[in-house]
Amino acid sequence: MPQLKEASELSKYDIMQTPPVAKTIVISGVTSGLGRSLLDYYYLQGHRVAGCGTREREIIQTLQTLYPEARLRVVNVTSDASVEAWINDIICDDGSNNASCSESNRWNVVDIVIANAGISPETKFGNLPGWEVPQTDFDDTIDINVKGVANMMRHFVPRMIDDAMNQRGSYNKSFVAMSSGLGRSPNPFHSAYCASKWAVEGMMKSLAMSLPEPLCAVPLAPGVVQTGMMPGMDGDDNTTSNWVKVAGPMILGFDRNDNGKSLSVDGFYTEQYKNTWIIKDGVGIPDELGYDFADAGVQRILF
């Protein structure tokens, strides 16, 4: 875990522990692991949180009881129609008359989207080369880790741009997709997972090039954390409860200066491992590419 910092060393992420304005935060994959930790962290801070997962019993019977003011739904992110219905439910844009869309409870804005849902089925196979991974497991990895992010991008980003143009919600708006150290370096026994996370890196950097100010898109490598997907590093510090204390304020602090940068949660990768990354930490979009596409993107959406 990171050591306590002197005041002069504090970053913009460190000072976001108690944000002055509640944000509307959307998180996929909240039934376990990192998503569950982010749901708990932001909810207890007083933010409006919408979360989804595929485990119906966990969503309805457990999480909705623990977080009664959160807007939690059963959503399959691999289904474009399911994600579209989810955003309509969040912003009350489907013409429904359900209780969550009453005028007093209308959210009507999206500030932060965290595309967190993901799987790594290769972990259960041990050291298998890519050609021995069953087709269904490879396909599921791409469907959830890549297409799931694309479906969320397709439906949430236009709304976030519209909110920004019309000055709804917070000024800084961010679309964060969970990447991985394996999205920045190869591994002979995780070819499907590597392929999915390299795709996330490319997708987020491409999205960043088309976003107007003040929006940002960030591929975030969360670290080696003890979850159902990952055993974590040696020691007891790399728990989700410790991780969210760093990642939670970090995500809240993302702004236009972070747009397109490949970032990682501080203290949850060894420097030795990070030195093997092909996409180095903090690398953004080359200046030679610029943001020439952003204005055209806004014109397509607004007109």
Side-chain angles (χ1 to χ4, degrees), residues 19-242:
V21 179
K23 296 186 177 184
T24 301
I25 302 172
V26 177
I27 311 168
S28 65
V30 299
T31 55
S32 62
L34 305 183
R36 173 69 177 272
S37 296
L38 289 168
L39 166 63
D40 183 74
Y41 180 85
Y42 291 133
Y43 184 87
L44 294 179
Q45 278 204 340
H47 295 284
R48 295 180 294 269
V49 183
C52 80
T54 57
R55 303 173 193 169
E56 184 173 0
R57 183 173 181 176
E58 182 73 10
I59 289 287
I60 296 175
Q61 296 185 12
T62 302
L63 296 183
Q64 196 66 77
T65 300
L66 290 173
Y67 312 103
E69 300 301 319
R71 198 160 287 174
L72 305 175
R73 300 292 184 267
V74 177
V75 177
N76 178 3
V77 295
T78 69
S79 165
D80 186 75
S82 184
V83 175
E84 182 179 21
W86 185 32
I87 186 174
N88 288 338
D89 178 71
I90 293 170
I91 64 175
C92 299
D93 195 32
D94 61 352
S96 66
N97 295 315
N98 61 59
S100 67
C101 283
S102 64
E103 191 64 33
S104 62
N105 198 33
R106 188 179 297 274
W107 289 4
N108 199 36
V109 68
V110 176
D111 295 314
I112 298 174
V113 173
I114 306 172
N116 165 75
I119 61 171
S120 179
E122 291 162 302
T123 304
K124 67 184 179 184
F125 296 121
N127 295 336
L128 288 182
W131 64 85
E132 293 186 15
V133 176
Q135 178 186 347
T136 54
D137 291 286
F138 196 103
D139 290 351
D140 287 346
T141 303
I142 300 302
D143 286 346
I144 296 173
N145 296 6
V146 182
K147 296 179 182 178
V149 175
N151 288 337
M152 293 185 68
M153 176 179 67
R154 183 177 302 112
H155 292 289
F156 282 97
V157 168
R159 178 66 195 203
M160 297 170 74
I161 293 176
D162 186 70
D163 287 343
M165 297 299 102
N166 290 282
Q167 300 182 348
R168 291 190 295 262
S170 65
Y171 177 76
N172 292 319
K173 296 182 183 296
S174 56
F175 189 102
V176 181
M178 287 300 180
S179 179
S180 171
L182 293 180
R184 300 175 188 175
S185 63
N187 184 294
F189 307 122
H190 290 84
S191 60
Y193 189 74
C194 282
S196 72
K197 294 305 180 179
W198 279 82
V200 166
E201 290 280 334
M203 192 189 316
M204 287 302 98
K205 289 181 180 295
S206 297
L207 172 61
M209 291 181 65
S210 60
L211 285 179
E213 295 185 10
L215 282 74
C216 70
V218 176
L220 178 64
V224 182
V225 188
Q226 297 173 25
T227 66
M229 185 187 301
M230 183 74 67
M233 295 188 295
D234 293 337
D236 298 324
D237 289 340
N238 291 75
T239 61
T240 54
S241 59
N242 285 330

Side-chain angles (χ1 to χ4, degrees), residues 273-302:
Y273 177 51
K274 289 169 68 173
N275 287 336
T276 69
W277 290 358
I278 297 171
I279 302 176
K280 300 299 183 182
D281 214 25
V283 169
I285 300 169
D287 292 337
E288 291 79 4
L289 290 177
Y291 297 95
D292 296 337
F293 306 101
D295 290 341
V298 175
Q299 294 297 319
R300 284 197 300 273
I301 291 170
L302 298 182

Side-chain angles (χ1 to χ4, degrees), residues 261-278:
K261 291 183 179 178
S262 297
L263 300 176
S264 65
V265 178
D266 186 28
F268 287 86
Y269 291 111
T270 65
E271 290 302 317
Q272 182 181 11
Y273 177 51
K274 289 169 68 173
N275 287 336
T276 69
W277 290 358
I278 297 171

